[in-house]
Amino acid sequence: MVNEKMNIRNYIGGEFLDPLSGQWLDNYNPATGEVYSQIPDSDALDVELAVLAAQKAFPAWSALSEEKRSEYLMKIANTIDAQLETLSLAESMDNGKPVSLAKVMDIPRARDNFSFFATAILHESSTSYKTGNEAINYTYKSPIGLAGCISPWNLPLYLFTWKIAPALAAGNCVIAKPSEITPMTAYMLSEICAEIGLPAGVLNIVHGLGPKVGSAIVTHPNIPAISFTGGTKTGAEIARVAAPMFKKLSLELGGKNPNVIFADCDFEKMLKTTVSSSFTNQGEICLCGSRIFVERPLYEKFKIAFVEKVKALKAGDPLEDGVRVGALVSKGHMEKVLSYIKLAQEEGGSILTGGNQIHPDGRCTNGYFIEPTVIEGLSHTCRTNQEEIFGPVVTIMPFDTDNQALDMANSTLYGLSAKIWTENLTRAHKFAHQLQIGIIWINCWLLRDLRTPFGGMKQSGVGREGGFEALDFFTEKKNICIKL
């Protein structure tokens, strides 16, 4: 049992509340394997409180001018920025990622999510059409009402705020559920909202398990929009339940992303970026490239250089300088990733480097660490290359022709992101157009413009997030026709 002051609490109606059930869940530091806080084991009753608070707040919040809503969101953004060090340390402790990564990616992006949508709503416009001399039609956008936002554990505050910020900016009130595995920075966000004076009930954060809290949000008749990021299986269940209720759905789901490397690429730039796109955040980013296809003339050179670079990656205590690979998020997830490494060997794969659990010296000896792992010798159709592993594991395979590479890249049920490495502009365009994938980087990775749409094809999701696509999702469009 941890000290009471370490308890995370729900944020409902502007107040910090214990779960109505009186039940709590342990929250682990994955780098040490130890419990360091507790979170509410909330249920449908807590969600109902949040819905009532949001309904009460909605009329006033939606009636605020865009300028006033923008001011609140900018205050949140500025406070996140002021607390960069504290939030980064909390994200590292909760998730296992290197604190250095949280400082340059997770927390700055959470800040930018609020500042982007705070300013975006000041530049929205509507369309109008003159119908001869008879009428003018114009489009009017209104907030949808209450939005349910459910986010994953891999980029906790980054993805949590990417949903919340556009929903609030558009004039909605939010019932949000962070992952029960990584709740700390969501709790700190609620403290920031209280500090800057966000009106009570505008943002409500309910902690707990998916089958209890997530399900209650998805099935609640007064929450008409659901934005979810997570596993494909859970997304399918949400769609099954919510579709008959005619809810708006945005589902950002799994990925099994290809990295296609042609022999004419800028080798050094490609190599450096491919190491990052394979193992950043322990490979626990939906955009990481886990299937690496290399044109045969370059294959042996790439294999030798890539394995050398991967072996040099420093894995261990996320708080140490120079650590590139931290702890996996939980013991259960670590065991899942290790089971796929075993499966890869059973399917005929050869481990070129890695493949084992790590036990760092010192405080992290009982943490959830796996060596960065590179595997070759597998068919592109085997389970290892078809199923999402979501860890520090990549496979490498040669290809001979563009069409073969295209078939291999498109062979999975997923279609989230891809990387293409070539100096041939015509080939790059043609190949990108033929990929059944929603986000494609050519000679780069994770270069994001927040104005662009984000989302995948096939079982990687439904809908698009980011930019004005997100604002559109959280609004209803009305056509108003005026007779001249």
Side-chain angles (χ1 to χ4, degrees):
M1 185 75 175
V2 296
N3 190 296
E4 185 68 19
K5 70 180 180 180
M6 291 298 294
N7 278 12
I8 287 170
R9 305 173 80 193
N10 290 329
Y11 180 61
I12 299 174
E15 298 182 1
F16 293 93
L17 304 176
D18 291 347
L20 292 174
S21 66
Q23 301 298 308
W24 299 83
L25 301 166
D26 289 336
N27 184 33
Y28 289 82
N29 180 336
T32 65
E34 297 174 349
V35 175
Y36 81 103
S37 67
Q38 289 191 311
I39 73 168
D41 185 8
S42 305
D43 56 29
L45 294 178
D46 301 280
V47 172
E48 183 62 30
L49 274 184
V51 169
L52 293 174
Q55 288 177 318
K56 183 178 179 181
F58 176 69
W61 179 251
S62 60
L64 277 182
S65 67
E66 286 82 359
E67 288 79 9
K68 288 293 185 183
R69 291 202 299 271
S70 177
E71 287 176 11
Y72 278 115
L73 268 61
M74 285 304 304
K75 286 180 181 178
I76 295 173
N78 292 335
T79 308
I80 289 173
D81 197 41
Q83 296 183 15
L84 172 66
E85 296 290 332
T86 304
L87 286 165
S88 297
L89 180 60
E91 202 74 297
S92 176
M93 289 179 63
D94 219 24
N95 176 269
K97 69 177 74 235
V99 67
S100 57
L101 179 65
K103 285 181 181 178
V104 299
M105 183 174 75
D106 294 68
I107 308 309
R109 175 57 187 273
R111 172 204 62 207
D112 292 346
N113 287 337
F114 276 105
S115 62
F116 175 84
F117 288 106
T119 54
I121 55 173
L122 303 179
H123 302 285
E124 272 205 293
S125 61
S126 63
T127 55
S128 65
Y129 304 93
K130 184 170 179 285
T131 308
N133 293 318
E134 296 183 73
I136 293 177
N137 288 269
Y138 70 92
T139 302
Y140 177 79
K141 298 178 185 178
S142 60
I144 198 167
L146 273 57
C149 298
I150 304 173
S151 66
W153 49 256
N154 60 320
L155 302 169
L157 192 63
Y158 177 146
L159 295 180
F160 196 54
T161 55
W162 201 20
K163 297 178 180 300
I164 291 169
L168 296 181
N172 301 281
C173 293
V174 173
I175 298 91
K177 178 202 172 306
S179 171
E180 66 273 15
I181 302 174
T182 53
M184 185 58 74
T185 49
Y187 177 62
M188 295 171 74
L189 175 64
S190 64
E191 293 182 316
I192 288 171
C193 290
E195 177 185 334
I196 65 100
L198 186 71
V202 169
L203 173 60
N204 305 276
I205 300 175
V206 185
H207 297 271
L209 300 171
K212 291 183 179 180
V213 177
S215 177
I217 291 172
V218 170
T219 59
H220 200 289
N222 294 324
I223 303 178
I226 303 294
S227 178
F228 169 82
T229 298
T232 297
K233 184 177 179 181
T234 304
E237 177 61 17
I238 290 173
R240 185 190 69 80
V241 172
M245 301 178 74
F246 300 101
K247 293 175 181 267
K248 292 188 76 173
L249 286 178
S250 174
L251 304 174
E252 200 274 280
L253 308 176
K256 191 70 174 176
N257 307 311
N259 187 4
V260 183
I261 301 168
F262 290 96
D264 67 347
C265 69
D266 181 327
F267 187 81
E268 293 303 324
K269 180 181 178 183
M270 174 279 298
L271 185 64
K272 180 181 179 180
T273 305
T274 297
V275 172
S276 295
S277 68
S278 300
F279 299 109
T280 295
N281 204 52
Q282 302 71 250
E284 295 170 330
I285 301 178
C286 60
L287 302 169
C288 279
S290 56
R291 299 179 296 143
I292 303 174
F293 305 117
V294 186
E295 195 169 11
R296 196 175 297 275
L298 190 66
Y299 184 79
E300 288 300 322
K301 178 182 177 181
F302 169 80
K303 180 173 73 171
I304 293 168
F306 183 62
V307 170
E308 182 182 354
K309 291 281 189 183
V310 174
K311 285 182 176 179
L313 290 175
K314 184 178 180 181
D317 190 337
L319 303 185
E320 285 187 10
D321 291 339
V323 166
R324 292 280 301 277
V325 181
L328 274 72
V329 74
S330 69
K331 183 179 180 181
H333 187 60
M334 177 187 69
E335 291 172 345
K336 172 196 169 185
V337 174
L338 288 171
S339 75
Y340 271 102
I341 295 173
K342 181 180 179 182
L343 172 66
Q345 293 172 294
E346 293 171 352
E347 292 182 319
S350 299
I351 296 177
L352 301 179
T353 186
N356 301 303
Q357 184 179 353
I358 307 172
H359 298 281
D361 294 333
R363 76 182 189 100
C364 294
T365 189
N366 295 318
Y368 314 134
F369 297 85
I370 294 178
E371 294 172 321
T373 301
V374 181
I375 303 169
E376 75 166 346
L378 290 170
S379 162
H380 73 278
T381 59
C382 71
R383 283 184 57 198
T384 303
N385 277 320
Q386 292 292 309
E387 299 175 13
E388 186 177 38
I389 299 175
F390 214 62
V393 179
V394 299
T395 60
I396 60 174
M397 289 155 280
F399 68 87
D400 295 299
T401 67
D402 290 23
N403 285 338
Q404 184 186 15
L406 185 66
D407 289 342
M408 294 164 80
N410 283 336
S411 67
T412 72
L413 295 174
Y414 299 103
L416 183 56
S417 76
K419 278 75 64 185
I420 303 171
W421 291 93
T422 179
E423 294 297 291
N424 185 323
L425 184 61
T426 300
R427 168 190 269 166
H429 277 295
K430 182 178 179 181
F431 201 89
H433 292 171
Q434 291 176 310
L435 285 172
Q436 298 164 4
I437 285 170
I439 306 158
I440 299 165
W441 283 284
I442 298 173
N443 299 331
C444 60
W445 178 67
L446 214 59
L447 184 57
R448 289 282 300 133
D449 186 320
L450 291 182
R451 294 170 295 182
T452 61
F454 179 98
M457 299 179 183
K458 300 189 283 188
Q459 291 191 15
S460 285
V462 175
R464 293 292 182 268
E465 296 185 307
F468 289 98
E469 300 267 353
L471 288 173
D472 282 348
F473 174 77
F474 288 111
T475 59
E476 291 284 13
K477 291 182 179 179
K478 302 177 182 178
N479 181 75
I480 299 175
C481 178
I482 304 174
K483 184 73 169 68
L484 295 177

